[in-house]
Amino acid sequence: MNLVAELKKYFGFTSFKPGQEEVICSILSGRHTLAMLPTGTGKSLCYQLPGLMVQGHVLIISPLLSLMQDQVEQFKRFGEKRVVALNSFLTIDEKKMVLRNLRKYKFIFISPEMLQVPYIIQKLQELTLSLFVIDEAHCISQWGYDFRPDYSRLGEIRKRLGNPLTLALTATATRKVLNDIIYSLDLEDVTKIEYSVDRPNIALVVEEAAAGRQREERVLELVSQLQKPGIIYFSSKKTAEQMASLIADRGLCKVSAYHAGLDQASRTLIQQQFLYNQLDVICATSAFGMGINKENIRFIIHYHMPMQMESYLQEIGRAGRDGLQSIAFLLYSSGDELLPIQLAESELPSEQQVAWLFHKLEENQMFITDKGIVEQHLRDIGGFSEIQWRIVEQFFKNERHGPNFNKLQEAILTYVKERMRVKKNHIARMKNWIESTCCRREYILQYFEETLSRKISPCCDCCGIELESFQSFAKKHDTLIESTWQEYLSEILINESQNYEK
DNA sequence: CGGTAGCAAGCTACCTTGCTACCGGTGCTGTAGT
């Protein structure tokens, strides 16, 4: 079979990007496939093309509503109309209509949460699924344990849908995460297609900067000097807002903050503005980035340290998709790990909370409803967050023969302890990387159980790096006052030719 | 947990120190008969 001809026929492209063909061949030969392809290699094509080539429906599990909408639009641009996102953006009437005519849709996008709705499952069971796709599959491991538990139930859903041929796609996963995905989906005989997580055109820099004023000043300096566009990541919405204001006040560039506290309309607007170069810099929390396909991002700055290496790589991986030289800065000072630790702790119920809850329950058995679930109002008095409560609730739901409080409490505490150990371990490894003085790229690859095939330059601060080459033309111009007109002219020509390459 | 903002007191002329309170991310969602 000539895959390139098929590619040309459906999409008009004349060649595949690295990994695509391999994944598609694996799928077409009927093997469950787990693909780790570098960011920006067009992972969607890996299910789009085989989906079009074979009979039956393709179900794509996607983590974000906005991502689904984008993908649907992308399909429609290619002229494929048999595509739908089955989510809460649909009105009740629309949803009824879609479900009634589900057969008409070749590609169905859906969230893991929606897959928990019995009626939806029932409708999906009536279809012949040719492919079950999990986009951003690392979410299973990263979110499935607490934040979005429905991610950890996809394996069960897969079975109920008749064990369809499965494709899991991700860009950043350790061996452990890959195994976690396979285990969670309960896949047997998986073909793993793994490409390197390394992005050689992104230079890595970690810099000491005391939290507060000093770090702010450094960010302002970087923003004024570095080639834009860029993203600055924060672990706090407020700090992101403040930094955005500061940059705007100094008139450094067009900037906006982006976080989950904004309404959907603003979020979409900001994303679009950034995409179309109406904004140079985004001060964002981790809410920003998934599904951002902007080619020319030149820098990523981390104002706060991420909670794990995988997140860090995902975030810096948004730079330099055009293949041109880009840079990632992480600003750090000792003690920074306390914020991620605090965030990690806040997503698990504390020992005190659990003890309090069971004390209440022993006091009064009526707090358990006839469905075997704990009364909601205990959640509020106990100060449980939505996520914390869900974890507790899950343990009660799984207890089929009436709860044994002692056993349950112990089970919950053991679980929480283990999860916290894992999270703290992630943070510790991140901190080790930051404090390491060995080549940062080599360390990252080691973490992902790869080896560095060749030395690159520029590489990282530990290998030595000339920051000047990352400065924008305007800045260079300022500092080149004393240079000759020949040098000045060559600057212009180099910059122009770089522009043409884009 | 530890940084920081806000305020008041202390000390000296506008600047320093000390106390308290507060904060810190990610997203989906039918508890229905088509």
Side-chain angles (χ1 to χ4, degrees):
Chain A
M1 181 183 342
N2 187 347
L3 271 183
V4 177
E6 297 289 327
L7 179 72
K8 183 100 194 348
K9 175 175 144 199
Y10 287 109
F11 296 94
F13 302 144
T14 49
S15 67
F16 286 102
K17 288 189 184 173
Q20 286 179 332
E21 196 169 10
E22 215 176 330
V23 175
I24 293 168
C25 283
S26 169
I27 285 299
L28 288 175
S29 61
R31 290 185 298 242
H32 295 314
T33 306
L34 173 53
M36 186 165 95
L37 302 181
T39 39
T41 30
K43 283 190 283 297
S44 341
L45 193 92
C46 296
Y47 60 80
Q48 286 170 338
L49 187 58
L52 288 166
M53 289 170 65
V54 299
Q55 293 285 317
H57 303 261
V58 180
L59 187 68
I60 304 120
I61 290 87
S62 171
L64 301 180
L65 300 180
S66 58
L67 215 59
M68 295 184 210
Q69 303 303 113
D70 287 352
Q71 306 275 28
V72 168
E73 270 170 41
Q74 198 189 358
F75 263 115
K76 290 192 171 160
R77 273 202 301 276
F78 278 113
E80 177 57 70
K81 300 281 189 290
R82 301 167 298 166
V83 49
V84 72
L86 197 46
N87 61 34
S88 60
F89 281 175
L90 300 174
T91 63
I92 292 184
D93 286 342
E94 285 170 335
K95 203 179 279 174
K96 279 182 184 170
M97 181 78 104
V98 169
L99 285 171
R100 197 162 32 210
N101 299 302
L102 207 52
R103 262 167 219 294
K104 290 186 184 167
Y105 299 100
K106 178 92 189 165
F107 296 92
I108 303 163
F109 289 86
I110 197 164
S111 69
E113 285 80 7
M114 195 67 121
L115 277 176
Q116 290 300 309
V117 178
Y119 182 58
I120 303 272
I121 287 288
Q122 191 190 319
K123 294 307 271 184
L124 287 170
Q125 279 168 335
E126 291 168 12
L127 303 177
T128 311
L129 291 183
S130 59
L131 193 55
F132 183 85
V133 183
I134 299 102
D135 198 10
E136 309 286 357
H138 57 273
C139 292
I140 291 176
S141 183
Q142 207 165 311
W143 285 349
Y145 292 99
D146 26 57
F147 182 50
R148 292 180 68 179
D150 293 320
Y151 255 108
S152 62
R153 300 187 188 118
L154 290 178
E156 189 194 319
I157 296 294
R158 250 194 89 247
K159 280 220 182 77
R160 292 178 60 191
L161 292 175
N163 197 17
L165 180 62
T166 298
L167 170 64
L169 292 164
T170 181
T172 332
T174 56
R175 284 283 151 71
K176 218 170 170 180
V177 170
L178 292 179
N179 288 333
D180 215 12
I181 292 169
I182 294 170
Y183 178 78
S184 178
L185 292 173
D186 199 7
L187 296 176
E188 279 165 27
D189 258 340
V190 192
T191 303
K192 282 195 223 170
I193 294 165
E194 294 175 56
Y195 275 70
S196 174
V197 293
D198 188 30
R199 297 284 307 278
N201 63 322
I202 303 175
L204 308 167
V205 179
V206 175
E207 231 184 60
E208 173 101 26
R213 191 46 51 79
Q214 195 194 329
R215 197 173 296 179
E216 274 174 14
E217 284 304 325
R218 184 56 182 146
V219 168
L220 290 170
E221 207 170 68
L222 286 172
V223 166
S224 72
Q225 290 175 354
L226 292 173
Q227 275 189 56
K228 288 169 262 295
I231 307 173
I232 311 172
Y233 276 105
F234 300 82
S235 299
S236 147
K237 296 186 258 195
K238 206 171 138 193
T239 319
E241 292 270 4
Q242 284 165 348
M243 200 68 230
S245 308
L246 221 56
I247 293 169
D249 289 349
R250 301 257 179 121
L252 296 181
C253 62
K254 289 166 283 175
V255 61
S256 182
Y258 183 103
H259 51 74
L262 303 173
D263 58 81
Q264 195 52 55
S266 318
R267 287 177 68 163
T268 309
L269 179 67
I270 294 165
Q271 220 179 91
Q272 291 300 313
Q273 286 177 327
F274 187 59
L275 222 56
Y276 294 107
N277 302 316
Q278 290 157 7
L279 286 171
D280 305 307
V281 170
I282 302 280
C283 293
T285 60
S286 54
F288 187 76
M290 224 188 251
I292 300 287
N293 276 316
K294 187 171 170 60
E295 296 264 283
N296 63 338
I297 296 176
R298 292 277 74 87
F299 71 82
I300 306 287
I301 298 174
H302 278 89
Y303 187 98
H304 291 126
M305 69 180 271
M307 302 201 40
Q308 56 183 82
M309 294 293 286
E310 288 95 319
S311 314
Y312 176 73
L313 267 124
Q314 276 154 26
E315 286 163 0
I316 67 164
R318 283 159 198 149
R321 300 226 170 144
D322 50 13
L324 298 182
Q325 186 61 55
S326 308
I327 191 162
F329 274 88
L330 189 149
L331 302 179
Y332 174 81
S333 69
S334 171
D336 278 7
E337 69 278 9
L338 293 168
L339 177 53
I341 286 177
Q342 186 51 40
L343 287 173
E345 268 169 3
S346 70
E347 62 190 346
L348 295 164
S350 70
E351 210 166 311
Q352 291 90 325
Q353 279 177 313
V354 175
W356 174 89
L357 178 68
F358 280 92
H359 179 72
K360 280 281 172 199
L361 290 175
E362 270 155 18
E363 244 175 36
N364 192 344
Q365 300 268 338
M366 295 298 283
F367 285 134
I368 306 281
T369 65
D370 42 5
K371 281 183 185 165
I373 295 168
V374 190
E375 278 280 6
Q376 272 289 317
H377 77 272
L378 280 182
R379 178 195 142 168
D380 304 329
I381 321 169
F384 290 84
S385 72
E386 185 191 343
I387 301 164
Q388 292 168 335
W389 189 250
R390 220 167 25 206
I391 293 171
V392 172
E393 216 172 21
Q394 197 52 44
F395 275 88
F396 279 88
K397 276 185 192 161
N398 290 343
E399 199 73 9
R400 304 202 192 283
H401 315 291
N404 171 336
F405 286 162
N406 281 336
K407 247 174 85 185
L408 253 184
Q409 183 170 3
E410 203 177 308
I412 292 175
L413 286 177
T414 308
Y415 177 82
V416 167
K417 230 178 176 171
E418 172 57 16
R419 286 306 302 158
M420 200 57 220
R421 192 190 63 76
V422 171
K423 284 170 198 283
K424 278 194 171 154
N425 189 32
H426 282 148
I427 297 167
R429 304 243 3 217
M430 187 77 225
K431 187 177 153 79
N432 276 342
W433 176 79
I434 289 170
E435 289 175 344
S436 160
T437 50
C438 311
C439 171
R440 303 204 178 273
R441 198 171 302 272
E442 230 173 286
Y443 191 119
I444 287 174
L445 292 178
Q446 203 183 322
Y447 180 82
F448 285 90
E449 293 171 67
E450 295 181 39
T451 45
L452 191 60
S453 49
R454 65 187 172 92
K455 264 297 186 205
I456 56 161
S457 176
C459 178
C460 64
D461 55 308
C462 297
C463 293
I465 207 162
E466 296 274 334
L467 286 184
E468 286 71 29
S469 55
F470 296 93
Q471 291 179 358
S472 62
F473 178 60
K475 183 67 189 177
K476 277 191 203 165
H477 184 192
D478 286 347
T479 56
L480 276 173
I481 294 164
E482 285 173 357
S483 65
T484 63
W485 67 269
Q486 287 99 331
E487 282 171 314
Y488 183 55
L489 185 62
S490 80
E491 280 295 323
I492 295 174
L493 293 174
I494 288 165
N495 270 277
E496 281 302 306
S497 68
Q498 274 174 358
N499 284 339
Y500 277 114
E501 279 166 26
K502 288 175 203 171

